[in-house]
Coordinates of all heavy atoms in Angstrom, one line a residue:
L188 N 108.8 93.8 125.0 CA 110.2 93.2 124.7 C 110.2 92.6 123.3 O 110.4 91.4 123.1 CB 110.6 92.2 125.7 CG 110.9 92.7 127.1 CD1 111.2 91.6 128.1 CD2 112.1 93.7 127.0
P190 N 112.0 94.1 119.9 CA 112.8 95.3 119.4 C 112.1 96.0 118.2 O 112.1 97.2 118.1 CB 114.1 94.7 119.0 CG 114.2 93.5 119.9 CD 112.9 92.9 120.1
A444 N 113.7 83.6 130.8 CA 114.2 84.9 131.4 C 115.5 85.3 130.7 O 115.8 86.5 130.4 CB 114.4 84.7 132.9
S445 N 116.4 84.3 130.5 CA 117.7 84.6 129.8 C 117.5 85.2 128.4 O 118.1 86.2 128.1 CB 118.5 83.3 129.8 OG 119.7 83.6 129.1
N446 N 116.6 84.6 127.6 CA 116.4 85.0 126.3 C 115.7 86.4 126.3 O 116.1 87.3 125.5 CB 115.4 84.1 125.5 CG 115.2 84.5 124.1 OD1 114.1 85.0 123.8 ND2 116.2 84.4 123.2
L447 N 114.8 86.7 127.2 CA 114.2 88.0 127.3 C 115.2 89.1 127.8 O 115.1 90.2 127.3 CB 112.9 88.0 128.1 CG 111.8 87.1 127.6 CD1 110.6 87.1 128.6 CD2 111.3 87.6 126.3
A448 N 116.0 88.7 128.7 CA 117.1 89.6 129.2 C 118.0 89.9 128.0 O 118.5 91.1 127.9 CB 117.8 89.0 130.3
T449 N 118.4 88.9 127.2 CA 119.2 89.2 126.0 C 118.6 90.1 125.1 O 119.2 91.0 124.5 CB 119.6 87.9 125.4 OG1 120.2 87.0 126.3 CG2 120.5 88.1 124.2
T450 N 117.3 89.9 124.9 CA 116.5 90.8 124.0 C 116.5 92.3 124.5 O 116.7 93.2 123.8 CB 115.1 90.3 123.8 OG1 115.1 89.0 123.3 CG2 114.3 91.2 122.9
L451 N 116.3 92.4 125.8 CA 116.3 93.7 126.4 C 117.7 94.4 126.3 O 117.8 95.6 126.0 CB 115.9 93.7 127.9 CG 116.0 95.0 128.7 CD1 115.0 96.0 128.1 CD2 115.7 94.7 130.2
G452 N 118.7 93.5 126.4 CA 120.1 94.0 126.3 C 120.3 94.6 124.8 O 121.0 95.6 124.7
F453 N 119.8 93.8 123.9 CA 119.9 94.3 122.5 C 119.2 95.6 122.3 O 119.7 96.5 121.6 CB 119.3 93.2 121.5 CG 119.4 93.6 120.1 CD1 120.4 93.2 119.3 CD2 118.4 94.4 119.5 CE1 120.4 93.5 117.9 CE2 118.4 94.8 118.2 CZ 119.5 94.3 117.4
M454 N 118.0 95.8 122.9 CA 117.3 97.0 122.7 C 118.0 98.2 123.3 O 117.9 99.3 122.8 CB 115.9 96.8 123.4 CG 115.0 95.8 122.7 SD 113.5 95.4 123.6 CE 112.6 96.9 123.4
I455 N 118.7 98.0 124.4 CA 119.4 99.1 125.1 C 120.7 99.3 124.3 O 121.0 100.5 124.0 CB 119.7 98.7 126.5 CG1 118.4 98.6 127.3 CG2 120.6 99.7 127.2 CD1 118.6 98.0 128.7
R456 N 121.5 98.3 124.0 CA 122.8 98.4 123.4 C 122.7 99.1 122.0 O 123.6 99.9 121.6 CB 123.5 97.1 123.3 CG 124.8 97.0 122.5 CD 125.8 97.9 123.1 NE 127.1 97.8 122.3 CZ 127.3 98.6 121.3 NH1 126.4 99.5 120.9 NH2 128.5 98.6 120.7
W457 N 121.7 98.7 121.2 CA 121.7 99.1 119.8 C 120.6 100.2 119.5 O 120.2 100.4 118.4 CB 121.5 97.9 118.9 CG 122.6 96.9 119.1 CD1 122.6 95.7 119.6 CD2 124.0 97.1 118.7 NE1 123.8 95.1 119.6 CE2 124.7 96.0 119.0 CE3 124.7 98.2 118.1 CZ2 126.1 95.9 118.8 CZ3 126.0 98.1 117.8 CH2 126.7 96.9 118.2
H458 N 120.2 100.9 120.5 CA 119.3 102.0 120.3 C 120.0 103.1 119.5 O 121.2 103.3 119.7 CB 118.9 102.6 121.7 CG 118.1 103.9 121.6 ND1 116.8 103.9 121.3 CD2 118.5 105.2 121.7 CE1 116.4 105.2 121.3 NE2 117.4 106.0 121.5
Q461 N 117.0 99.3 116.8 CA 116.4 98.0 117.2 C 115.5 97.5 116.1 O 115.2 96.3 116.1 CB 115.5 98.2 118.4 CG 116.3 98.7 119.6 CD 116.1 100.2 119.9 OE1 116.1 101.0 118.9 NE2 116.0 100.6 121.1
Y464 N 116.5 94.1 114.3 CA 116.7 92.9 115.2 C 116.4 91.7 114.4 O 115.3 91.6 113.8 CB 115.9 93.0 116.4 CG 115.7 91.8 117.2 CD1 116.7 91.4 118.1 CD2 114.6 90.9 117.0 CE1 116.6 90.2 118.8 CE2 114.5 89.8 117.8 CZ 115.5 89.4 118.7 OH 115.4 88.2 119.4
V563 N 125.2 97.2 113.6 CA 124.4 96.7 114.6 C 124.7 95.3 114.8 O 124.5 94.5 113.9 CB 122.9 96.9 114.3 CG1 122.0 96.3 115.4 CG2 122.5 98.4 114.2
A564 N 125.2 94.9 116.0 CA 125.5 93.5 116.3 C 126.3 92.8 115.3 O 125.9 91.7 114.9 CB 124.2 92.8 116.6

Side-chain angles (χ1 to χ4, degrees):
L188 289 176
S445 175
N446 180 253
L447 295 177
T449 301
T450 303
L451 177 60
F453 180 95
M454 295 171 69
I455 295 171
R456 170 65 180 85
W457 299 110
H458 172 80
Q461 301 98 322
Y464 167 83
V563 174

